[in-house]
């Protein structure tokens, strides 16, 4: 009886390990493809005579930041150049007040911790998915204009 129980526990743990491994592989493939897409976009810019300081990548996402206000009045806006430098502007709108934040982005990263919405809009801008995106967009990486399909 004990051996059967241990065998069942082993099978369950093995299945969970396999699931975790496959999920990690899928996320790694997506991250790799996203990085390759960003590098491809960077090479397109550096091979031309364009100005690397000009704002090139823009994305904005509207969302409901507070439960008291609906209608997608809050937003995060990313404006980045070809090198991934720029700003993210975030406006959190409530019934009685509005708060606005600006965060500096250098090489696609911020010195400060970004909110999930800010991170999403920066990634969308870097991948050229703007100008208007939704939070539920998965930001699938496109290779040569076609959506990728990781195994």
């Amino acid at each position: 009886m004990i051996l059967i129980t241990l065998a069942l526990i082993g099978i369950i743990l093995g299945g969970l390990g396999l699931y975790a491994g496959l999920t990690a592989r899928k996320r790694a493939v997506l991250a790799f493809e996203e990085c390759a897409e960003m590098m491809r976009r960077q090479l397109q810019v550096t091979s031309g005579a364009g100005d690397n300081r000009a704002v090139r990548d823009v994305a904005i996402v509207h969302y409901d930041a507070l439960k008291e206000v609906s209608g997608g009045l809050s937003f995060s806006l990313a404006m980045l150049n070809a090198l991934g430098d720029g700003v993210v502007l975030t406006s959190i709108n409530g019934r009685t007040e509005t708060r606005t934040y600006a965060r500096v982005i250098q090489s696609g990263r911020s010195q400060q911790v970004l909110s999930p919405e800010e991170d999403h809009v920066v990634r969308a801008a870097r991948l050229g998915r703007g100008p208007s995106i939704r939070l539920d967009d998965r930001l699938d990486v496109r290779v040569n204009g076609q959506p990728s399909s990781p195994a």
Side-chain angles (χ1 to χ4, degrees), residues 135-147:
L135 278 179
D136 57 357
D137 288 346
R138 289 193 51 234
L139 297 181
D140 288 331
V141 179
R142 296 181 183 274
V143 178
N144 297 325
Q146 300 298 319

Side-chain angles (χ1 to χ4, degrees), residues 51-128:
D51 184 2
N52 286 340
R53 296 174 298 162
V55 173
R56 179 187 81 160
D57 300 324
V58 176
I60 186 168
V61 62
H62 291 271
Y63 53 95
D64 296 324
L66 305 173
K67 293 178 183 169
E68 65 186 43
V69 177
S70 62
L73 297 177
S74 298
F75 67 89
S76 291
L77 168 69
M79 296 183 295
L80 307 171
N81 65 13
L83 303 174
D85 299 337
V87 295
V88 174
L89 299 174
T90 297
S91 178
I92 307 296
N93 297 298
R95 288 192 188 278
T96 59
E97 66 181 335
T98 297
R99 295 184 182 191
T100 304
Y101 305 92
R103 302 186 198 281
V104 175
I105 305 296
Q106 294 179 325
S107 300
R109 299 194 182 272
S110 174
Q111 296 284 332
Q112 301 168 319
V113 176
L114 297 177
S115 71
E117 296 84 7
E118 291 169 329
D119 183 58
H120 189 75
V121 79
V122 168
R123 288 181 57 226
R126 294 289 317 267
L127 290 169

